[in-house]
Amino acid sequence: MKTYTVDIRGFKAELPVMQLPSGIGIAFFNLHGDSALTEHCGKELAKELADCDVLITAESKGLQLTHCTARELGQRYYAVARKSKKLYMQDGIEMPIESSITTGKEQCMYLSQHDVNLIKGKKVGIVDDVVSTGASLKGLEGLVEKAGGIIHKKAFVLAEDVAADRKDVIFLASIPIFTNM
């Protein structure tokens, strides 16, 4: 299997290169189950987000990352945008999002009323593992705005391909897209 090595501020990660149905290849970044990598990335992102009042992420790969980041910042709570509407979210808000590079289909994000109250009027830091096309980011931005929060910073572990050229996001390292699979 082809791999790509990325240096994330001193932590080297070996990422498998996987082909998507579209034919392009991506360096697959997975925080699930890797406590050392997740802790390192959370601490590094916390340095960038110290002036945020509260954090928000999308399930699922951003969950443990945001948990570590919030803990580093001394924030007890952070908001979680879910991809399905749970029973406790009936009084919350929702935001349709375009298809992302990995999902390939339209989705919807949901925020509970508890999390709406948590971010209303606050400087919000958006946290996630990878920014690529920006579809998931756009959904999170929409939720923050709809909830009355102030988008203060947008931080990611990795920026994929042209997302590394964006001036409105913070990232710890960049990775390419592979076109010759």
Side-chain angles (χ1 to χ4, degrees), residues 14 29 38 40-41 50 55 73 93 96 116 140 165 180:
E14 197 78 18
F29 183 64
T38 303
H40 173 78
C41 294
L55 307 178
L73 294 172
I93 61 174
V116 168
L140 285 168
D165 297 331
N180 298 331

Side-chain angles (χ1 to χ4, degrees), residues 82-150:
R82 304 288 306 255
K83 293 179 182 168
S84 62
K85 192 176 207 176
K86 305 300 181 192
L87 185 59
Y88 69 91
M89 305 177 95
Q90 301 309 309
D91 59 351
I93 61 174
E94 61 186 68
M95 181 65 54
I97 60 171
E98 301 168 11
S99 64
S100 70
I101 194 168
T102 51
T103 62
K105 62 180 180 176
E106 284 191 16
Q107 295 180 300
C108 206
M109 287 184 175
Y110 304 90
L111 202 59
S112 70
Q113 188 61 46
H114 172 272
D115 287 350
V116 168
N117 295 339
L118 180 66
I119 66 178
K120 186 175 185 172
K122 304 273 180 46
K123 292 188 300 184
V124 180
I126 295 173
V127 179
D128 212 348
D129 60 339
V130 180
V131 60
S132 184
T133 63
S136 297
L137 173 57
K138 192 174 178 182
L140 285 168
E141 289 172 317
L143 280 174
V144 170
E145 290 169 354
K146 195 171 186 177
I150 303 149

Side-chain angles (χ1 to χ4, degrees), residues 1-6 11-17 27-28 37:
M1 173 181 276
K2 183 177 179 176
T3 61
Y4 180 81
T5 304
V6 62
F11 194 112
K12 290 197 181 353
E14 197 78 18
L15 309 179
V17 176
F28 184 69
L37 178 58

Side-chain angles (χ1 to χ4, degrees), residues 34-56:
D34 192 333
S35 61
L37 178 58
T38 303
E39 289 288 338
H40 173 78
C41 294
K43 287 176 182 176
E44 291 299 316
L45 286 177
K47 294 173 187 176
E48 303 290 342
L49 299 168
D51 59 345
C52 294
D53 298 322
V54 66
L55 307 178
I56 186 173

